[in-house]
Amino acid sequence: MIEPVLPADYPEVVEVWEASVRATHGFLTEADIQYFKPLILNEYLHAVELSCIKNETGRILGFMGVHGNGLEMLFIHPDVRGNGIGKHLARHAIQNLNVQKVDVNEQNPEALGFYQHMGFEVINRSELDGLGKPFPILHLQLAQS
């Protein structure tokens, strides 16, 4: 079941983010992770509509953040990757929150493949990320059926 993320959940959301990033973003250094971590907690989570999926004990397994028609973040705890949680969240975002676009790190081919499987296609590329760091970004849009 998908439910909203409350501000009290933010520390746990950041834990899921960090575990997911460590498992999927091998191109990031420890310094990069420590740079982004407070930004996630103090700025980025507040800028999106957050939803999550929890297990039977209330632990967050995965979460997403949507702003406008963009899926701004989707992170799944590495212990439950491959169990359909990301697909369930993405499908919900597309069908219920009017998500039409997503950006993905070019250096994260698994994420690119996931979004392409979900119906997105690459429409553009930026050499730098939104903070001007040298992490190329692929801009994807939901393919028109």
Side-chain angles (χ1 to χ4, degrees), residues 70-144:
L71 181 58
E72 301 296 331
M73 53 182 78
L74 175 65
F75 293 94
I76 308 303
H77 195 284
D79 292 347
V80 293
R81 278 182 60 214
N83 292 334
I85 294 167
K87 189 179 292 186
H88 190 60
L89 286 167
R91 193 173 293 129
H92 176 79
I94 293 165
Q95 294 173 352
N96 301 299
L97 302 176
N98 195 37
V99 162
Q100 300 288 313
K101 60 184 182 169
V102 64
D103 290 345
V104 65
N105 289 100
E106 184 176 66
Q107 295 153 297
N108 188 349
E110 286 183 14
L112 175 60
F114 169 79
Y115 289 119
Q116 288 174 323
H117 179 75
M118 294 302 300
F120 290 88
E121 58 189 8
V122 177
I123 59 165
N124 207 344
R125 179 184 185 274
S126 297
E127 190 65 33
L128 305 174
D129 72 6
L131 296 173
K133 292 190 172 282
F135 303 122
I137 300 294
L138 299 174
H139 307 285
L140 287 74
Q141 182 173 294
L142 202 57
Q144 301 303 314

Side-chain angles (χ1 to χ4, degrees), residues 3-25:
E3 56 187 88
V5 172
L6 304 174
D9 297 322
Y10 285 7
E12 186 179 0
V13 165
V14 173
E15 289 175 18
V16 172
W17 170 84
E18 184 173 359
S20 178
V21 164
R22 289 185 184 282
T24 60
H25 291 60

